[in-house]
Amino acid sequence: MTALPNEVTFGGVCPLVGSLRVPGDKSLSHRAVMFAAVARGRSTIDGLATGEDVAATMAAFAQLGVRVKARPGGVSVTGAGFDGLRESDDVIDCGNSGTTIRLLSGLLCGRTFVSVLTGDKSLRSRPMARVAEPLRRMGAHIDGRDDGRLAPLTVRGGSLHGIEFDSPVASAQVKSAVLFAGLQASGTTVVVEPMRSRDHTERILGALGVPIVVDGNTVQIQRGEWDAFDVCVPADPSSAAFFVVGAAITPGSDLELIDVALNPTRIGFVDVLQRMGADIEVAETETRLGEPVGTIRVRHAPLRGTRIAGSEIPAVIDEIPALAIAAAFAEGVTEIRDAQELVVKESNRIGTIHQELTQLGVGCEPLDDGLVIRGGNPQPSALKSHGDHRIAMAGAIAANALDGESSVRGWRAVGSSYPEFHDHLAAVTRR
Ligand code: S3P
């Protein structure tokens, strides 16, 4: 793949037209690789997310003795159960990926060897106590900087026992880490969340035939094993969201996103945009790995402000940078509340969204738990990614809808989830 430029420029209003399949879903790709790596036998995974985050997960399992091989259309992963994993002779670099480090912590803490997990500057500043604390309660030995609050983390696994864990945050990474540990523990492991977070881990386990009980926000699991599987990962709704918002705010647009994962815990952004007046149709066509899959069609329409808060937040948490751009182009005020988790994402997204909307000339007030955005009249500007892939792509869709020259600096950040983003935007905006 050619190196990404550090800056991209945009030169005027370009409608988004046609049909696009964005790369495979990042959350599902990490999980497909992880579940295949500890399955019995050779799995094949097609349509994986193309960014550095999932590459970091694959490299981690190669270090842990799993055979991960490229094949046309995807990879094959040959596992031999949890017992097939071997101690890595080096530190495992999770790059920018919170899902890699947190889920691996849970997966590795049942192994009798030592693993050292680290990442880039952003990942090394993100909270890890949220996984270290429940995993320690299950019997794992986890250490790290600041008493295990920050990576690098050392995970020395051993025999685990189930716990009942009342998670203080609605986080699929925390829930999945505890479930991966629970799959290797004696007794029953129960995770209770304050609100429902994305449920891919539960759906995959169900699709693989592993007994799991889900009741509202409570998930219950016991020790489990499964056989190898073959899957084609559906397209990433979080990546599609940038194109959906891009088309919604750019006059003349009519765009179809195909083969997209339509899990309700991921597509809350569609409900929010429809509430704002967006013209969006969703059609479910099939089920894959326990996930609904289908098409999202969006046409330009005038938007109005809305309130996004409460239990809706977990289903839109990664889409708030894109929704903030929709709010910037909408008439009236949008209020985002109960979204404190934005502060501990790839950047402090309350701060970085505030800075970039201000740069666009949009009235924006940062709050402890969200933002107030006074939409209406964004202006062409020089924008920045702050090292955060989603802030970069949010900047790009705003720039593409503005009459005049804009730029996004720090573009390389898109490499973590969607290196082809600029090429794909160019493909659907060619006039
Ligand atoms: C993810 C869970 C979410 C999300 C992240 C991916 C996952 O993080 O923001 O991009 O794949 O489990 P949290 O678990 O921190 O909410």
Side-chain angles (χ1 to χ4, degrees):
M1 182 169 302
T2 49
L4 287 163
N6 198 39
E7 181 169 326
V8 291
T9 54
F10 299 84
V13 184
C14 290
L16 285 76
V17 178
S19 182
L20 178 68
R21 186 194 189 278
V22 304
D25 183 66
K26 189 153 76 72
S27 287
L28 281 171
S29 296
H30 284 297
R31 286 165 174 78
V33 171
M34 290 181 184
F35 278 101
V38 289
R40 289 173 301 223
R42 178 178 179 272
S43 298
T44 62
I45 312 172
D46 289 350
L48 279 172
T50 48
E52 290 148 10
D53 283 14
V54 172
T57 291
M58 287 194 281
F61 282 102
Q63 276 183 247
L64 291 161
V66 176
R67 196 170 149 82
V68 181
K69 241 182 114 206
R71 36 173 283 286
V75 295
S76 66
V77 178
T78 308
F82 283 104
D83 289 336
L85 299 179
R86 297 281 167 265
E87 185 172 85
S88 169
D89 65 1
D90 204 349
V91 169
I92 295 174
D93 186 356
C94 305
N96 191 241
S97 175
T99 307
T100 306
I101 196 166
R102 295 198 179 109
L103 270 60
L104 265 185
S105 301
L107 199 149
L108 290 172
C109 75
R111 304 296 88 213
T112 52
F113 52 72
V114 174
S115 305
V116 183
L117 307 176
T118 192
D120 68 8
K121 193 163 182 266
S122 155
L123 192 62
R124 281 183 275 114
S125 72
R126 295 178 65 187
M128 296 299 149
R130 51 179 60 194
V131 285
E133 195 268 326
L135 296 178
R136 283 170 175 161
R137 276 182 53 207
M138 296 178 79
H141 300 279
I142 300 198
D143 210 343
R145 287 190 302 129
D146 194 20
D147 196 25
R149 290 186 188 85
L150 297 171
L153 296 178
T154 306
V155 181
R156 179 184 285 282
S159 61
L160 305 175
H161 51 84
I163 56 167
E164 181 158 342
F165 177 54
D166 256 306
S167 181
V169 279
S171 159
Q173 292 177 357
V174 172
K175 174 174 61 180
S176 303
V178 174
L179 293 177
F180 265 124
L183 286 163
Q184 305 169 74
S186 61
T188 302
T189 298
V190 182
V191 183
V192 186
E193 293 192 283
M195 286 179 289
R196 186 102 190 244
S197 67
R198 64 189 65 190
D199 62 356
H200 303 302
T201 302
E202 299 91 304
R203 284 173 187 256
I204 294 184
L205 283 166
L208 294 176
V210 180
I212 174 163
V213 181
V214 180
D215 180 10
N217 300 343
T218 302
V219 187
Q220 190 175 313
I221 201 154
Q222 291 181 330
R223 206 187 278 280
E225 298 181 321
W226 52 91
D227 291 328
F229 55 92
D230 301 310
V231 71
C232 177
V233 177
D236 194 326
S238 298
S239 300
F242 293 101
F243 289 95
V244 174
V245 171
I249 62 173
T250 311
S253 295
D254 183 352
L255 184 70
E256 189 182 56
L257 284 314
I258 60 169
D259 199 41
V260 185
L262 297 175
N263 181 321
T265 62
R266 295 289 303 283
I267 60 160
F269 70 93
V270 170
D271 296 332
V272 172
L273 289 168
Q274 285 173 335
R275 207 159 68 222
M276 296 176 81
D279 180 356
I280 302 177
E281 290 157 34
V282 178
E284 209 177 298
T285 51
E286 60 179 299
T287 303
R288 239 182 279 153
L289 261 193
E291 302 276 339
V293 179
T295 300
I296 303 177
R297 181 168 182 188
V298 51
R299 301 179 186 87
H300 169 258
L303 302 181
R304 54 185 175 270
T306 189
R307 181 178 159 86
I308 313 169
S311 59
E312 188 167 42
I313 291 294
V316 299
I317 192 71
D318 288 347
E319 288 63 68
I320 287 178
L323 291 172
I325 299 302
F329 282 75
E331 279 304 320
V333 177
T334 294
E335 192 180 359
I336 302 168
R337 302 304 299 257
D338 307 315
Q340 301 86 338
E341 279 293 299
L342 288 175
V343 172
V344 292
K345 294 297 176 188
E346 289 84 328
S347 67
N348 169 354
R349 288 187 180 154
I350 293 183
T352 52
I353 291 171
H354 169 242
Q355 278 189 51
E356 295 314 295
L357 292 191
T358 305
Q359 183 69 15
L360 284 164
V362 173
C364 177
E365 189 190 327
L367 308 169
D368 287 345
D369 66 343
L371 297 139
V372 175
I373 299 166
R374 291 171 213 287
N377 197 18
Q379 298 299 314
S381 328
L383 301 167
K384 289 193 296 211
S385 74
H386 303 267
D388 183 333
H389 56 135
R390 299 200 205 281
I391 300 296
M393 292 185 279
I397 52 160
N400 179 71
L402 290 167
D403 193 8
E405 186 158 317
S406 297
S407 57
V408 182
R409 249 175 53 204
W411 186 252
R412 278 180 203 135
V414 301
S416 66
S417 71
Y418 198 168
E420 315 86 333
F421 181 86
H422 191 256
D423 293 344
H424 285 187
L425 184 59
V428 294
T429 52
R430 200 174 295 131
R431 278 180 287 187

